[in-house]
Each structure stands twice: as C-alpha cells, then as structure tokens.
C-alpha cells in the first residue's frame, strides 16, 4: 500500500485532471458564445490600444487539439485585468474538424501565426508583440521567429510546457482524455502529431544551429509532472536570453500536469506576468 501522503497527492492530481476535463467539455459547448463575448471584455478587442505601462499586445497561442477560446478562459482575463491588450488565434485546422485545432503541418501553422501577428500589429499600432503559448503553441512560434522574420516583430516568447525538442507519439496520445471525442481523429491525417515526434524532420530543422534567435527574450515554464512532453527538461531552451522555470521550484505543492499548467495554474500565470514585464516582476510562490 502506498503511504497516506502519496495517496493524497495522487488523489489530488486525479481530481485536478477530472476538473480540467470537465472544463474542456464545458468550454467546447460554449465556444461560440464565449468567442462573441471575448471582445467585449477586452480579449480579442481590436479597438484596444496598448498603454505606456504595457506597450506590447499579448498573442496567446493554443496547443494541439486546442482552440483560441477554451485554452485561455483563465489566462486571457488574468492578463486583461492587468492592463494588457490580449489576442488569441486559431491555427492548424483540418477540414471537417471543428473546435479542435493545432493539427495541421506546423510550418503552415507558423505562417498563420505570422499573418495574425501582422493583423494585431496593424490594429494596435504596436511595433512588436509578446507571445505566450501552451504545448505546441509554445514551440511552433519558434519556427516563425527563426524562418519567417518573426524576430523583428516579437519581443518575448513565453512557452508553457512547450515540446521544444519533440516528444513521443505515446506522449501526444496522453492528451486524449482531456479532449473527449478526439480519439477518432488519430485515424485521420494529423500532420502536427508527426511533426512533434522527437527526431522528426521538423524538430531537427527547428533546432539546427541553436534553440534561439537574437533579440527575443525566451521563458519556458515547465512542470515536473508533465506526462506528455517527457522528460520534462527537454522543454528547456539553451541560449543567451533564456529563463527556464519549473513551477515546483516556486511552489512545491503545485501538482499541475501538462494540460493543467496551461489552463488553470496561477503559479505559472504569475511567471507569465513576470516574463511579460520583468522590470516589475515579483516573487512567485504558492499564494499567487
């Protein structure tokens, strides 16, 4: 029998995972109405003008099987309340597959991000944006930065549980319980899954010649309980302007897994806020 504290920890992790699955289902049902109300709350509001305190818009980039709404039901309002102009996009759509995105070829998805950043910059008048992405959404922007001229348009990239050096297909399939109804998609062509496998042609090209490009500030926020991108330290980047963070080093009680760190983890979100405004960063602990 496991020690009582181990049972308690496992039970809490299962409860957190169950809550996240429920939230994903709830969000999927409400996507249309949530998207319509987002602009009225300042999220995806193209009339928003960046302030002197927060001069760069924040673009949120969802992960595999995600979309522009349900991935950000907590983080987007969190940043809006702090005075940021916040935007999110859908990318990597497959024909006939609604709601669940991030499945198309990642090089093509990076082109969609490029076009979306141009749209945000045009609407807000900002020279540069900051990017915050979860999972594939924390890794895919690096292609835009490295090969599509994004380094001239982006100040910072914050990756939450990004698969920067790939993962295994079995790791990617562990996402399925969080997105009920997606399992059948694995019988279809899902290019992004192949692209994300460690050692793929895409991952090899992405990391050849170094992880980073000059002029961009990089932050990686990881959890040691990640069951999708393993070992979790493969998420880390190596470069002169990189900060790699493990949430358990800041809050040992944090039990977030791969999905929960990106969707509900306020410890991770405080680190996001610190990365977006390092001049006013404050200590992150369990009580943020």
């Amino acid at each position: 029998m496991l020690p009582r504290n181990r049972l308690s920890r496992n039970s809490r992790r299962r409860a957190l995972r169950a809550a996240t699955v429920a939230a994903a289902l709830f969000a999927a049902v409400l996507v249309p109405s949530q998207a319509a109300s987002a602009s009225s709350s300042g999220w995806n509001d193209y009339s928003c003008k960046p302030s002197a305190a927060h001069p760069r818009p924040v673009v949120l980039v969802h992960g595999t099987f995600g979309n522009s709404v349900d991935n950000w039901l907590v983080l987007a309002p969190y940043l809006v309340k702090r005075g940021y102009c916040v935007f999110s996009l859908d990318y990597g759509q497959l024909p006939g597959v609604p709601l669940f995105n991030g499945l198309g070829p990642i090089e093509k998805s990076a082109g969609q991000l490029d076009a979306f950043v141009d749209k945000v910059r045009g609407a807000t008048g900002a020279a540069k944006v900051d990017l915050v992405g979860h999972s594939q959404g924390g890794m895919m922007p690096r292609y835009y930065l490295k090969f599509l001229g994004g380094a001239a348009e982006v100040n910072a990239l914050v990756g939450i549980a990004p698969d920067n050096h790939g993962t295994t297909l079995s790791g990617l399939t562990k996402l399925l319980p969080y997105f009920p109804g997606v399992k059948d998609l694995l019988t279809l062509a899902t290019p992004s899954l192949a692209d994300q496998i460690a050692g793929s042609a895409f991952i090899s090209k992405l990391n050849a010649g170094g992880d980073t490009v000059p002029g961009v500030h990089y932050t990686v926020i990881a959890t040691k309980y990640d069951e999708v991108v393993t070992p979790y330290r493969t998420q880390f980047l190596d470069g002169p302007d990189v900060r790699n963070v493990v949430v358990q080093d800041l809050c040992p009680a944090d039990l977030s897994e791969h999905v929960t760190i990106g969707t509900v983890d306020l410890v991770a979100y405080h680190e996001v806020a610190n990365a977006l405004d390092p001049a006013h960063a404050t200590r992150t602990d369990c009580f943020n």
Side-chain angles (χ1 to χ4, degrees):
M1 179 177 293
L2 292 172
R4 181 181 298 273
N5 63 345
R6 180 67 179 274
L7 283 171
S8 177
R9 169 170 289 188
N10 287 343
S11 296
R12 291 198 299 272
R13 289 177 66 187
R14 285 194 296 269
L16 186 58
R17 175 171 168 165
T20 304
V21 171
L25 281 169
F26 182 73
V29 171
L30 293 183
V31 162
S33 60
Q34 289 287 353
S37 64
S39 61
S40 64
S41 66
W43 171 20
N44 277 341
D45 177 3
Y46 285 89
S47 69
C48 184
K49 298 301 179 183
S51 65
H54 301 303
R56 292 177 301 277
V58 178
V59 174
L60 303 178
V61 190
H62 65 74
T64 306
F65 301 127
N67 61 60
S68 62
V69 177
D70 62 12
N71 219 133
W72 309 120
L73 291 174
V74 179
L75 181 58
Y78 177 96
L79 294 175
V80 168
K81 289 179 181 178
R82 283 155 180 77
Y84 289 93
C85 293
V86 180
F87 301 87
S88 61
L89 78 155
D90 288 308
Y91 70 87
Q93 300 90 339
L94 288 181
V97 183
L99 303 181
F100 301 111
N101 301 319
L103 300 174
I106 298 181
E107 290 186 13
K108 182 177 179 180
S109 294
Q112 292 177 283
L113 174 61
D114 185 6
F116 187 79
V117 168
D118 287 344
K119 178 181 177 181
V120 169
R121 291 171 59 235
T124 61
K128 291 188 175 184
V129 304
D130 290 325
L131 303 177
V132 179
H134 175 229
S135 192
Q136 180 190 161
M139 173 270 288
M140 175 270 281
R142 293 179 48 228
Y143 190 93
Y144 157 54
L145 298 178
K146 197 169 187 178
F147 299 108
L148 302 180
E153 302 173 346
V154 174
N155 170 71
L157 169 61
V158 184
I160 306 173
D163 50 346
N164 280 317
H165 297 94
T167 184
T168 63
L169 182 59
S170 61
L172 291 167
T173 61
K174 289 180 181 178
L175 285 167
L176 297 179
Y178 294 101
F179 300 97
V182 172
K183 187 174 182 180
D184 290 343
L185 290 178
L186 292 182
T187 64
L188 304 175
T190 50
S192 80
L193 297 185
D195 284 346
Q196 291 177 81
I197 296 173
S200 71
F202 176 83
I203 291 294
S204 297
K205 178 180 178 180
L206 178 66
N207 293 311
D211 291 348
T212 64
V213 296
V216 179
H217 309 291
Y218 294 84
T219 301
V220 173
I221 304 171
T223 171
K224 68 180 184 180
Y225 298 124
D226 199 309
E227 76 283 27
V228 175
V229 185
T230 58
Y232 71 89
R233 292 187 180 276
T234 62
Q235 300 170 28
F236 292 170
L237 295 173
D238 183 26
D241 196 352
V242 173
R243 182 166 185 258
N244 295 309
V245 180
V246 180
V247 291
Q248 285 78 24
D249 291 342
L250 306 171
C251 174
D254 192 314
L255 300 176
S256 290
E257 298 170 288
H258 182 79
V259 171
T260 52
I261 191 177
T263 54
V264 296
D265 189 344
L266 294 181
V267 175
Y269 291 173
H270 190 262
E271 277 299 294
V272 169
N274 281 346
L276 295 176
D277 189 8
H280 299 95
T282 58
R283 181 171 178 260
T284 301
D285 56 32
C286 295
F287 303 102
N288 293 121

